[in-house]
Amino acid sequence: MSPFGIKLLRPRPRPPEIDLHMHSTQSDGSVDPAGLVREALALGLKAISITDHDTTSAIVEARRSAEGTGLEIVPGVELSTAEGKSDVHLLIYGFSDSEGLEQALLRFREARERRAEEMVGKLNALGIEITMAEVRALAGPGAIGRPHLAQALVLMGAAETSQEVFRRWLGHGGSAWVPKERLTMEDAAEIARRHGGVTSLAHPATLRRDDLIPTLRDRGVQCLEVWHSRHDVECSKYYLALARRHGLVPTGGSDYHGAHNPGVTMGCTRVAAEVLEELRAAFPSTPPSISPSIP
Ligand code: AMP
Ligand code: MN
Ligand code: MN
Ligand code: MN
């Protein structure tokens, strides 16, 4: 209200149209794939991509739930790669061979199990009595990860919040932290290419490795995540300009994890429908030939 009692006209924020980055119960999100579809429909989104860590298993259930609604489910997955001391996350979109890709990601899911066991062992050695069975139960059918260990520790009262757990024990270099098996960006991008997908560098502002951006295309990464819940408007403008300068297709999404990441909701980062059209044009038009000689 103005001092004269006249309602001031503020430009209404434009609603989000698509969201290409979120997690389900198949990895470390708290909402199952059908629930994500319901939320997307309630928001009036045209398309979503469920980008679980190391698994594409949400896609089938999401597609079934979205049938007949007009909501598009864009194939997506998030992989973790290593570049020096940085943990570089890559999003893969549009793959035509979901089953083959899911098979190729099996070794990463198995490595997650072994890593979780090792972290539980380290916590036990620190006197924190947590069991793998408790963590497994929290992960449910999905790819296990540090957030599930963090949840278990909060539930047993060892810490107040997941953030505290990461700060005290599970963060990079922490006393119960175990490094991930190293996967290079090139290898991840090659896995994507072999299964008909394109690759995007995720949340560059949290990565803080803009030095990597000029070389991305040469290393098989065609896209850059410009819009993200951790990017403010200025930051997104900056990354959009960088994307254009280096011939990268801009992508975007909220990185919604449901209740596990309070404050980040589906669609909280506005992404326009045209973004998907530009991304779709970057999808390989014919499935690439799968060479058995590539490991
Ligand atoms: P992992 O894939 O097992 O290495 O776990 C990484 C995941 O933990 C990320 O995808 C986030 O969902 C979550 N995460 C990372 N850092 C933090 C933090 N400081 N506090 C809470 N959750 C975090
Ligand atoms: Mn996560
Ligand atoms: Mn990430
Ligand atoms: Mn993510």
Side-chain angles (χ1 to χ4, degrees):
M1 284 291 199
S2 75
F4 311 105
I6 300 164
K7 218 175 184 177
L8 292 175
L9 286 176
R10 268 205 210 98
R12 203 183 297 171
R14 289 176 302 164
E17 297 180 335
I18 62 173
D19 189 332
L20 301 178
H21 189 162
M22 66 187 70
H23 298 267
S24 79
T25 44
Q26 295 298 322
S27 68
D28 56 0
S30 70
V31 181
D32 65 15
L36 290 177
V37 166
R38 279 195 299 275
E39 287 189 33
L41 291 171
L43 287 167
L45 298 183
K46 294 189 175 88
I48 58 168
S49 186
I50 304 178
T51 49
D52 278 318
H53 300 283
D54 297 336
T55 178
T56 65
S57 56
I59 298 171
V60 174
E61 191 184 333
R63 285 235 162 105
R64 206 179 302 128
S65 303
E67 224 173 83
T69 64
L71 175 70
E72 180 178 349
I73 308 295
V74 180
V77 70
E78 182 169 15
L79 303 189
S80 312
T81 69
E83 180 70 33
K85 285 186 175 167
S86 309
D87 193 5
V88 177
H89 289 187
L90 297 177
L91 297 158
I92 302 177
Y93 290 118
F95 36 86
S96 42
D97 177 18
S98 260
E99 270 174 42
L101 179 57
E102 186 65 7
Q103 203 51 41
L105 302 181
L106 179 63
R107 67 182 165 109
F108 304 135
R109 293 192 296 278
E110 287 172 349
R112 282 181 169 278
E113 292 284 335
R114 289 194 297 276
R115 181 182 184 224
E117 271 170 30
E118 272 187 63
M119 289 189 284
V120 165
K122 282 193 159 189
L123 287 162
N124 292 160
L126 291 168
I128 301 163
E129 286 172 19
I130 172 187
T131 66
M132 190 60 191
E134 287 162 344
V135 181
R136 192 58 279 167
L138 289 167
I144 203 163
R146 283 181 290 167
H148 304 114
L149 276 101
Q151 261 177 280
L153 292 173
V154 170
L155 281 175
M156 71 180 281
E160 294 274 327
T161 62
S162 289
Q163 283 75 10
E164 187 189 334
V165 173
F166 272 82
R167 205 170 48 244
R168 290 176 65 184
W169 300 294
L170 295 183
H172 193 104
S175 54
W177 172 75
V178 172
K180 260 191 192 161
E181 222 171 83
R182 293 181 77 81
L183 171 72
T184 66
M185 287 169 69
E186 285 86 348
D187 285 346
E190 175 56 18
I191 291 172
R193 192 201 63 79
R194 254 189 285 160
H195 299 284
V198 291
T199 305
S200 184
L201 179 74
H203 41 72
T206 65
L207 174 63
R208 296 162 177 264
R209 287 295 307 270
D210 288 1
D211 60 299
L212 298 174
I213 292 174
T215 67
L216 286 179
R217 270 210 157 259
D218 296 336
R219 301 166 80 176
V221 177
Q222 304 88 343
C223 316
L224 181 69
E225 193 171 49
V226 164
W227 300 276
H228 185 269
S229 50
R230 302 276 295 272
H231 293 185
D232 63 19
V233 172
E234 283 308 308
C235 178
S236 294
K237 268 191 198 161
Y238 165 76
Y239 282 113
L240 182 59
L242 266 188
R244 294 298 179 214
R245 187 176 320 145
H246 298 289
L248 298 160
V249 176
T251 69
S254 59
D255 210 354
Y256 178 50
H257 280 71
H260 297 337
N261 192 357
V264 176
T265 55
M266 189 187 296
C268 66
T269 309
R270 183 178 192 275
V271 184
E274 299 86 72
V275 171
L276 177 56
E277 295 323 309
E278 193 178 341
L279 176 62
R280 210 193 302 281
F283 292 168
S285 48
T286 48
S289 60
I290 296 168
S291 158
S293 61
I294 303 170

